[in-house]
């Protein structure tokens, strides 16, 4: 009930409505407040003047507010609070609800009753304080508006429900608590006022006095006053005008403007509108219920946010503390190295000091002895020892001259701490979700005008949308089994055209493609339905691809459909072939049947590809249709192949065309974002074997393992075998496996990779079968 209180208060005075009237806009206002906000209009704007001018406007056209033409405040200087300027001599006030109220020119009436009965000035205008719609009153003034009896009843019931104890209605100052109510007088009395104003004698003796609570109930149950017609005050409402949407009396039907309108029974329309209001309230109740549930959800979110904030702060503090601990540990390690270097330097210098001290003592002793010998006057005795002393002096002098007087250790510490990368990383430390992550590429579009079928072959072509701002690093083409089964990847790479050969004749398949980059993959393109020719003996024909780009139901009669069919065309396996053209990738592959065994060598993918100038370092030099590469720098530079592999078994070779000054090129596989200006394998994005003229090593993330004897020279052949089924990488030199399996548990998208400098030139060979011994071993396994 308390939420309803604002609905029961006048927007002008801010108190409960008293004698509310209904404005044509359906809003309510106290009758006294309506008189307070009246504004007098110019004579030319009155209804009478408009009728006299022959405008043809009826007496009741003021109800049509959308067609009303109001005077201009700039011209007249008059105005109401809701959009018109008041006259300079008419100050405005504000109600408790913040509404501007324009008082009349005369002093305000003292009471609501006298205000309601006072005459309304001619040519008055009133503006609704809620919707600010204005209208000019006719001769009836405020009496032309119906009174809202229902609102009065709701306010009475609300005030009675809010009153804790009924008060006496006749106490002059502080009302006392009522003890009885007279049903005939409809007045609550306290005991003193009852004895003084309602003595139990004379005509009042027949009145029935009841307790206040019972009187409240009887007052609620007592019939309300029947509302009367605003045009005919002595007549009660008996019908409802459907056109005007208002109750009317019988005189309105016979004499007034409603005589030609459609009318219905007041009781029937009352029940109908109650039903409509109840139905509308049901929908509003559902919205209110949803709002309450939403508020509960929001309050739970507040609690969850607080809990998550505490948890996240604790996690952040723990992560930063872990970084600080790691830095302190590293600090301790570096200080230990400095202390070790310090002790080493001191030991070397102290040892040299001790050695020089002993040597100097010996030299000084020898010098003093020689001086004493020189003082001797015995020639023969002197000559007996002089040769030996001369040799000792020269020997001692020579000993001092062989670096003895040069410090064995410098005072400088040959240690330099490079903290700039760490400081840069600390400055770049940030929350991942706060950084603007690059979006995934847009969905590719299949180019129907470039797609065609040729006997049991089909060519598919696709492109990125014209307005796509996110580049794609590659594409994934998928084909189904021709029977509505699961899609399977048949190509992963940068090319945008693919030819599929060796398909079943008179078969229907489906194809789709998606793009990918470092962030992720795009949505699939619309699925296309393809069909091969009907007969193997049919004439050579090239059929353009059909116009529909949306997925169609599988139809045998569709003449334009071709994709991979995994049903065996001969026992044990099915086969498909991707052939190359200047703009097409060429792949040969075989897929194993689900039930029949098959030779693994026939199941391994055989791929044709070249080096990729677009992703290579700028120092790489390409030739021979991008199959031969060298470098213009003495430093190692990385170049990748055009095709990436994520499944299957793939083998390729590189021949050494030039090998000068014993460099150590590296061969292997890498991710697209591998470092291009260092040797392959220096970072964690590459897996490689680097080799010189005598031996080789495996390297990943700058970790060197498995030194193996045997190097390369000009004309040597290096083989790389990437088995993504077994997740292994193996290297070969001159058709012999070099060392053990180089790397295991390799997963992801890998590109063939080479790093070399200007002393090396290699040529790529693709489309080769795997070594025989590996195929035999795989078949046995």
């Amino acid at each position: 009930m308390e939420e309803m209180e604002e609905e029961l208060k006048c927007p002008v005075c801010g108190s409960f409505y008293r004698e509310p009237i209904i404005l044509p806009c359906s809003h309510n206002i106290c009758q006294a407040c309506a008189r307070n906000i009246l504004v007098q209009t110019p004579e030319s704007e009155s209804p009478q003047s408009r009728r006299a001018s022959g405008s043809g406007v009826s007496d009741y056209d003021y109800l049509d507010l959308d067609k009303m033409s109001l005077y201009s405040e700039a011209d007249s200087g008059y105005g109401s609070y809701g959009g018109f300027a008041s006259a300079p001599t008419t100050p405005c006030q504000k109600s408790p609800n913040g509404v501007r109220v324009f008082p009349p020119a005369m002093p305000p009436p003292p009471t609501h009753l006298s205000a309601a009965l006072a005459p309304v000035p001619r040519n008055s205008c009133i503006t609704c304080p809620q919707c600010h719609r204005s209208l000019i009153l006719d001769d009836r003034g405020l009496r032309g508006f119906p009174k809202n009896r229902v609102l009065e009843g709701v306010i009475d019931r609300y005030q009675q429900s809010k009153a804790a104890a009924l008060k006496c209605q006749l106490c002059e100052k502080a009302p006392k608590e009522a003890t009885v109510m007279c049903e005939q007088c409809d007045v609550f009395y306290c005991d003193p006022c009852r004895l003084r104003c309602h003595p139990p004698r004379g005509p009042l003796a027949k009145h029935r006095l009841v307790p206040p609570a019972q009187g409240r109930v009887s007052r609620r149950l007592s019939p309300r006053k029947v509302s009367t017609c605003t045009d005919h005050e002595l007549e009660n409402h008996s019908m409802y005008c459907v056109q005007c949407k208002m109750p009317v009396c019988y005189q309105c039907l016979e004499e007034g403007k409603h005589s030609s309108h459609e009318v219905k029974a007041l009781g029937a329309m009352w029940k109908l509108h109650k039903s409509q209001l109840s139905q509308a309230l049901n929908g509003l109740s559902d919205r209110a219920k949803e709002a309450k549930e939403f508020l509960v959800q929001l309050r739970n979110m507040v609690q969850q946010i607080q809990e998550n904030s505490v948890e996240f702060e604790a996690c952040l503090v723990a992560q930063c503390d872990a970084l600080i601990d790691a830095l302190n540990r590293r600090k301790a390690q570096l200080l230990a190295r400095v202390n070790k270097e310090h002790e080493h330097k001191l030991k070397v210098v102290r040892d040299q000091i001790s050695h020089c001290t002993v040597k100097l003592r010996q030299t000084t002793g020898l010098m003093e002895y020689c001086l004493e010998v020189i003082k001797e006057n015995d020639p023969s005795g002197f000559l007996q020892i002089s040769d030996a002393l001369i040799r000792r002096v020269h020997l001692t002098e020579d000993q001092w001259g062989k670096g003895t007087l040069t410090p064995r250790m410098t005072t400088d510490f040959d240690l330099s701490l490079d903290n700039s990368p760490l400081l840069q990383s600390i400055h770049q430390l940030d929350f991942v979700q706060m950084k603007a992550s690059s979006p995934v590429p847009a969905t590719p579009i299949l180019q129907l005008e470039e797609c065609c079928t040729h006997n049991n072959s089909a060519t598919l072509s696709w492109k990125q949308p014209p307005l796509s701002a996110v580049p794609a690093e590659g594409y994934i083409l998928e084909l189904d089994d021709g029977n509505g089964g699961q899609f399977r990847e048949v190509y992963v790479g940068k090319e945008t055209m693919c030819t599929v050969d060796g398909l079943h004749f008179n078969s229907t398949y489906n194809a789709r493609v998606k793009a990918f980059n470092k962030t992720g993959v795009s949505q699939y393109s619309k699925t296309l339905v393809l069909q091969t020719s009907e007969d193997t003996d049919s004439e050579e024909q090239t059929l353009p691809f059909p116009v529909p780009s949306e997925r169609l139901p599988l139809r045998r009669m569709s003449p334009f459909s071709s994709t991979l069919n995994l049903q065996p065309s001969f026992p044990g396996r099915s086969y498909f072939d991707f052939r190359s053209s200047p703009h097409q990738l060429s792949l040969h592959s075989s897929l194993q049947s689900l039930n029949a065994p098959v030779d693994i060598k026939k199941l391994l993918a055989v791929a044709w590809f070249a080096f990729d100038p677009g992703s290579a370092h700028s120092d790489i030099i390409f030739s021979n249709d991008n199959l031969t590469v060298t470098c213009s720098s003495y430093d190692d530079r990385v170049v990748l192949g055009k095709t990436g592999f994520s499944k299957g078994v793939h083998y390729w070779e590189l021949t050494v065309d030039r090998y000068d000054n014993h460099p150590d090129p590296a061969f292997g596989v890498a991710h697209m974002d591998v470092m291009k200006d260092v040797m392959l394998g220096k970072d964690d994005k590459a897996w490689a074997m680097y080799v010189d003229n005598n031996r080789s090593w495996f390297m990943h993330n700058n970790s060197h393992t498995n030194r193996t004897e045997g190097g390369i020279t000009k004309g040597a052949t290096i083989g790389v075998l990437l088995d993504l089924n077994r997740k292994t990488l193996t290297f070969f030199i001159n058709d012999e496996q070099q060392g053990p399996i180089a790397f295991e548990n390799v997963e992801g998208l890998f590109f063939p990779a080479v790093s070399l400098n200007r002393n090396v030139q290699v040529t790529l060979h693709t489309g080769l079968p795997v070594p025989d011994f590996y195929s035999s071993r795989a078949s046995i396994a």
Side-chain angles (χ1 to χ4, degrees), residues 131-322:
C131 66
H132 306 295
R133 301 178 70 177
S134 302
L135 60 102
I136 300 174
L137 275 62
D138 59 6
D139 294 338
R140 296 175 297 174
L142 297 179
R143 291 183 293 104
F145 299 118
K147 296 182 179 180
N148 196 336
R149 304 292 184 187
V150 175
L151 181 57
E152 284 186 299
V154 174
I155 293 174
D156 290 342
R157 291 196 297 273
Y158 179 76
Q159 289 178 327
Q160 290 172 10
S161 65
K162 293 288 289 183
L166 294 173
K167 302 295 183 179
C168 175
Q169 295 177 281
L170 298 180
C171 291
E172 295 183 356
K173 295 182 179 179
K176 298 180 181 179
E177 185 174 350
T179 56
V180 294
M181 173 196 172
C182 177
E183 289 185 343
Q184 286 71 27
C185 299
D186 195 16
V187 176
F188 290 93
Y189 299 94
C190 63
D191 288 337
C193 292
R194 178 179 60 83
L195 296 175
R196 184 178 70 255
C197 302
H198 200 288
R201 59 180 179 272
L204 298 179
K206 297 181 180 180
H207 288 194
R208 183 166 178 260
L209 301 179
V210 296
Q214 182 179 348
R216 174 191 290 178
V217 175
S218 62
R219 174 180 284 185
R220 290 182 186 177
L221 298 177
S222 62
R224 286 277 168 191
K225 297 178 181 179
V226 179
S227 60
T228 58
C229 179
T230 56
D231 296 332
H232 310 91
E233 297 182 355
L234 300 180
E235 298 296 335
N236 296 332
H237 290 144
S238 59
M239 301 296 287
Y240 181 82
C241 178
V242 178
Q243 183 174 344
C244 300
K245 297 183 179 180
M246 60 181 297
V248 296
C249 67
Y250 80 95
Q251 286 191 16
C252 293
L253 300 179
E254 294 179 357
E255 305 171 1
K257 69 172 185 177
H258 305 282
S259 58
S260 61
H261 294 176
E262 178 186 0
V263 295
K264 291 187 178 181
L266 191 65
M269 294 303 296
W270 173 56
K271 293 181 180 179
L272 176 62
H273 281 213
K274 274 195 172 183
S275 174
Q276 292 176 352
L277 180 60
S278 298
Q279 293 177 0
L281 283 176
N282 289 336
L284 185 60
S285 175
D286 293 339
R287 301 288 85 77
K289 182 179 179 181
E290 293 176 1
K292 290 181 180 179
E293 294 175 353
F294 181 65
L295 286 174
V296 172
Q297 179 183 355
L298 291 179
R299 293 189 181 98
N300 292 337
M301 287 180 62
V302 171
Q303 180 66 22
Q304 189 66 34
I305 289 173
Q306 293 175 347
E307 295 176 357
N308 290 346
S309 175
V310 173
E311 180 181 354
F312 187 77
E313 288 178 2
C315 180
L316 178 62
V317 171
Q319 289 178 320
C320 293
D321 289 344

Side-chain angles (χ1 to χ4, degrees), residues 659 662-665 690-697 710-713 733:
Y659 188 78
H662 308 299
D664 47 0
Y690 71 95
V691 56
D692 58 17
N693 60 321
N694 291 322
R695 61 192 67 82
S696 66
W697 294 262
I712 61 173
T713 58
I733 295 181

